[in-house]
Amino acid sequence: MSKEFEMAKVVSQKELQPGIFSMWLSCHAAKSAVPGQFLNVYTKNKEKRLPRPISICEINGEKGELRLVYRVTKEGSGTEEFSKYETGEEVRILGPLGNGFPVEDFKDKKVILMGGGIGIPPMLGIADCVGKNATAVLGYRDKNTFLTEDFEQAGTTLCLASDDGSIGVHGNVIDAIKENKVEGDVIFACGPTPMLRGIKAYAKENGITCYISLEERMACGIGACLGCVCQSKDKDHHSKVHNKRVCKDGPVFLAEEVEL
Amino acid sequence: MASLKVNFAGVEFQNPITTASGTFGSGMEYGEFVDLSKLGAVTTKGVADHPWPGNPTPRVAEVKGGMLNAIGLQNPGIETFIERDLPFLHEKHAKIIVNVCGHSEEEYLNVVRRLATEDVDLLEINISCPNVKEGGISFGTNPKGVEEITKAIKKEAVQPVVMKLSPNVTSITEIAKAAEAGGADGVSLINTITGMKIDIERQSFVLANKTGGMSGPAVHPVAVRMVYEVANAISLPIIGMGGVETAEDAIEMLLAGATMVSVGTANFYNPYATMEVVDGLENYLNRKNISDVNDIIGLVK
Ligand SMILES: Cc1cc2nc3c(=O)[nH]c(=O)nc-3n(C[C@H](O)[C@H](O)[C@H](O)COP(=O)(O)OP(=O)(O)OC[C@H]3O[C@@H](n4cnc5c(N)ncnc54)[C@H](O)[C@@H]3O)c2cc1C
Ligand SMILES: Cc1cc2nc3c(=O)[nH]c(=O)nc-3n(C[C@H](O)[C@H](O)[C@H](O)COP(=O)(O)O)c2cc1C
Ligand code: FES
């Protein structure tokens, strides 16, 4: 049997901004993970049965550690439970799940990373791999940014936008990419669906290859329940309809592969 | 060592534990966690005579005591199922219960006919899916309709036919009797109970379909009651399901009168659930000095 649940150990936990947490986990999953893949994280509260899918933010394969950066959605939620975990505590996880970004294929190319809000963390894992070759176009709500130093440390050029204009370009990541005339051979993106729709259109207009990471409600996370599908342009190989499974066929897709 | 072997409608199974349709795919994904040959059988996701896309998303939601789903029977159609999924299950030496769905009598019959020459052990006919507009539950909620569709399927089926019943009815025993009158070889119950979840922040439905089928631990007592009632109303064997997550839950089903028991939603949060149920059942029988699982089926009167 090739897949296994495991008990990961919390290495550290830190609140980056109010309600945004960063947690490093020591786990076997770190050995094979690539940027864009995710973990199913299970709560200790037995009343919450379904997994919380969380993208892998950073990978330290040598130390066997993974970083998750996540937003606490509300009081009493599963993510709130995660935010209370202390160093040494055990967490039940399954992963790495899904397909990541094809980072290796673009190692020597100019890469544009586009992240909005809680879609920013998975971009950092790519920045760690491509560093100087990347420009990160990051969209925040306001000047309460997170992870920007980490991107700088990776050697990535930063280009910020905020909804209220308190930092960077006033507007969204599309406004920022246009205003700063950011150029590149490929876009890797993660964020809310309207943003991804805009990025897909922008990439098409400018003839740039574009990969996006999608979100959907999940029950199994491994491709069995068919809960998490997105609409795909071509017939999917599983059900021969136009429904790719975000958990198994994604969460990263070639933008033109999917209807948003 | 207790014997776990059961005979369901003339077919031998090494133990009474199977998977609830739609929660285990065709075994490919969970086959990475458990040895499929150790299950009594794999019950596959509903299959129709052509591919179905299912409902719009979101189509799953977590709720207290379980989950709602409104998948709407997405499936690749019988041809792909026969080409891809059946050979996989045969290679894994799994016994196979194929769950069949359709929008019309003809669609059910197309699948049943197509399976006539295939090596599968039982057919489970889903006349109780709450998530499709035509077919599904509309067949399963009136006794006359159930009797007719059962008769029509029995005429064409080569394998034993198990009718899967809906709990969304006033009297499940009436429906079970209709299936028996139609010539069914067994019944399975329960399918999901229609439910709804509202997001109070967005002030809208969580599921795109508005309603979804409730499954998981909260439905277990309802399922046990219905298995008990049906077991006392008809003489056909029963596959019991609904909220089974542990061996204890499965043993309740057996005591209530089920010959086989399916593990469903529990797979999603514990991919080893089926194996734990098999092992736990064996331990229970040994602890109670019961040599044969058949001795506890329907024991509680
Ligand atoms: C592939 C993928 C990667 C993700 N990566 C991240 C990440 O890196 N950081 C982060 O903060 N969030 C991420 N999310 C969103 C995260 O899964 C949800 O915020 C989280 O599940 C909410 O759980 P909760 O207990 O706080 O909320 P609740 O509302 O109590 O959750 C109830 C149920 O709904 C599900 N759910 C609620 N919101 C979402 C959502 N947006 N997407 C999918 N399921 C949801 C939960 O998993 C749970 O089953 C990701 C989602 C997906 C699908
Ligand atoms: C995601 C999901 C998909 C399902 N799909 C089917 C299906 O295709 N055919 C069917 O007869 N029942 C289907 N069911 C119902 C289950 O087989 C079972 O009857 C029900 O979930 C109760 O068992 P449980 O509480 O152990 O899950 C589905 C249930 C779930 C949760
Ligand atoms: S979450 Fe079950 S198939 Fe994707």
Side-chain angles (χ1 to χ4, degrees):
Chain A
M1 308 306 97
S2 57
K3 273 217 179 85
E4 249 184 276
F5 260 112
E6 64 169 314
M7 297 306 293
K9 253 207 174 85
V10 176
V11 179
S12 64
Q13 168 112 261
K14 195 177 155 202
E15 189 165 12
L16 303 177
Q17 282 294 351
I20 309 265
F21 287 81
S22 162
M23 180 162 70
W24 277 98
L25 295 174
S26 165
C27 52
H28 297 297
K31 298 262 184 297
S32 60
V34 299
Q37 287 187 297
F38 68 98
L39 295 182
N40 266 358
V41 188
Y42 298 82
T43 59
K44 293 182 189 177
N45 178 347
K46 288 249 159 60
E47 278 309 309
K48 297 186 194 297
R49 291 181 174 77
L50 299 186
R52 272 62 186 160
I54 305 284
S55 292
I56 293 165
C57 169
E58 281 190 289
I59 303 155
N60 187 330
E62 264 167 43
K63 279 168 88 178
E65 293 179 5
L66 288 180
R67 184 186 195 183
L68 305 181
V69 171
Y70 60 95
R71 171 178 281 146
V72 172
T73 57
K74 58 177 180 281
E75 221 177 289
S77 65
T79 44
E80 188 196 45
E81 181 192 303
F82 302 156
S83 72
K84 306 239 157 87
Y85 293 167
E86 290 175 6
T87 303
E89 221 171 313
E90 289 196 319
V91 200
R92 206 159 66 105
I93 62 162
L94 177 65
L97 300 175
N99 295 314
F101 290 99
V103 178
E104 286 300 316
D105 301 351
F106 295 92
K107 255 205 140 133
D108 311 311
K109 299 271 170 64
K110 274 172 77 180
V111 175
I112 309 174
L113 306 176
M114 298 181 84
I118 205 64
I120 291 170
M123 295 298 109
L124 181 56
I126 310 175
D128 287 340
C129 301
V130 297
K132 279 198 285 297
N133 291 339
T135 303
V137 186
L138 309 178
Y140 295 90
R141 255 182 225 163
D142 48 36
K143 62 178 182 304
N144 293 324
T145 61
F146 51 91
L147 298 177
T148 47
E149 297 95 32
D150 300 73
F151 279 96
E152 275 167 351
Q153 231 166 50
T156 301
T157 310
L158 274 187
C159 173
L160 304 186
S162 58
D163 295 339
D164 67 355
S166 58
I167 193 163
V169 173
H170 188 170
N172 59 29
V173 288
I174 307 281
D175 300 322
I177 198 172
K178 284 184 181 156
E179 218 168 293
N180 290 282
K181 301 201 170 57
V182 179
E183 283 177 8
D185 306 306
V186 65
I187 294 176
F188 294 132
C190 184
T193 307
M195 174 188 126
L196 295 179
R197 214 175 276 135
I199 292 175
K200 178 182 171 178
Y202 177 85
K204 194 171 177 204
E205 273 163 36
N206 293 277
I208 308 173
T209 311
C210 179
Y211 289 87
I212 54 180
S213 176
L214 301 187
E215 258 189 24
E216 192 43 79
R217 304 272 163 156
M218 297 182 176
C220 70
I222 60 170
C225 75
L226 307 180
C228 67
V229 298
C230 63
Q231 282 207 35
S232 55
K233 199 173 107 218
D234 298 324
K235 281 191 181 166
D236 62 278
H237 72 279
H238 180 277
S239 293
K240 316 285 166 177
V241 280
H242 291 266
N243 280 353
K244 291 201 174 167
R245 295 163 295 179
V246 171
C247 70
K248 178 110 179 170
D249 307 317
V252 175
F253 293 97
L254 197 56
E256 62 215 42
E257 235 186 301
V258 290
E259 315 282 348
L260 297 171
Chain B
M1 283 283 271
S3 163
L4 294 183
K5 272 200 201 110
V6 292
N7 182 306
F8 192 104
V11 183
E12 286 268 337
F13 295 93
Q14 60 177 335
N15 68 59
I17 306 305
T18 181
T19 56
S21 176
T23 64
F24 209 76
S26 287
M28 256 167 230
E29 295 79 18
Y30 285 104
E32 296 197 46
F33 296 88
V34 296
D35 183 347
L36 301 178
S37 73
K38 295 219 166 103
L39 285 165
V42 170
T43 303
T44 58
K45 170 78 186 162
V47 62
D49 66 352
H50 63 283
W52 290 12
N55 290 323
T57 58
R59 56 191 199 183
V60 290
E62 186 180 69
V63 293
K64 281 184 191 142
M67 65 177 285
L68 298 178
N69 90 81
I71 307 292
L73 298 175
Q74 177 180 327
N75 78 87
I78 187 67
E79 293 308 326
T80 301
F81 177 80
I82 288 173
E83 274 162 36
R84 177 186 65 194
D85 299 4
L86 281 184
F88 167 82
L89 287 166
H90 288 141
E91 191 191 305
K92 296 286 170 191
H93 305 290
K95 286 255 180 182
I96 305 166
I97 304 176
V98 180
N99 184 283
V100 178
C101 56
H103 292 119
S104 63
E105 184 176 301
E106 196 49 30
E107 288 188 15
Y108 283 102
L109 291 178
N110 286 339
V111 180
V112 168
R113 283 187 204 115
R114 188 67 186 78
L115 286 169
T117 50
E118 296 297 323
D119 180 10
V120 305
D121 297 287
L122 293 179
L123 305 181
E124 180 182 57
I125 313 295
N126 179 6
I127 49 166
S128 47
C129 181
N131 298 321
V132 295
K133 289 214 171 54
E134 306 143 46
I137 201 163
S138 60
F139 281 101
T141 47
N142 86 74
K144 219 172 138 68
V146 171
E147 186 176 337
E148 275 166 19
I149 186 105
T150 309
K151 264 192 192 142
I153 288 169
K154 270 305 287 179
K155 233 186 251 159
E156 307 270 350
V158 167
Q159 296 88 354
V161 171
V162 180
M163 301 306 283
K164 184 161 177 180
L165 310 184
S166 169
N168 303 308
V169 292
T170 313
S171 166
I172 196 161
T173 53
E174 290 307 307
I175 306 289
K177 283 179 187 158
E180 187 172 44
D185 301 288
V187 293
S188 63
L189 61 139
I190 58 176
N191 208 316
T192 54
I193 305 175
T194 309
M196 177 180 280
K197 184 166 174 66
I198 291 172
D199 181 329
I200 63 163
E201 292 308 321
R202 288 174 33 239
Q203 302 184 330
S204 63
F205 305 99
V206 170
L207 296 172
N209 192 51
K210 296 185 185 172
T211 59
M214 170 82 192
S215 62
V219 309
H220 185 247
V222 178
V224 172
R225 185 264 296 178
M226 288 187 161
V227 166
Y228 175 80
E229 284 179 356
V230 170
N232 286 291
I234 62 172
S235 53
L236 301 177
I238 298 169
I239 307 177
M241 70 195 81
V244 173
E245 52 177 5
T246 63
E248 288 75 13
D249 302 332
I251 293 161
E252 275 191 61
M253 287 286 188
L254 295 165
L255 289 169
T259 299
M260 294 183 80
V261 178
S262 321
V263 178
T265 300
N267 290 300
F268 298 153
Y269 49 94
N270 177 11
Y272 312 107
T274 48
M275 289 300 114
E276 290 173 14
V277 171
V278 173
D279 292 345
L281 173 60
E282 189 171 6
N283 290 342
Y284 169 85
L285 295 174
N286 289 336
R287 174 164 67 79
K288 291 275 187 191
N289 279 318
I290 299 164
S291 60
D292 187 341
V293 71
N294 288 288
D295 294 345
I296 68 166
I297 293 171
L299 188 67
V300 173
K301 291 288 177 210

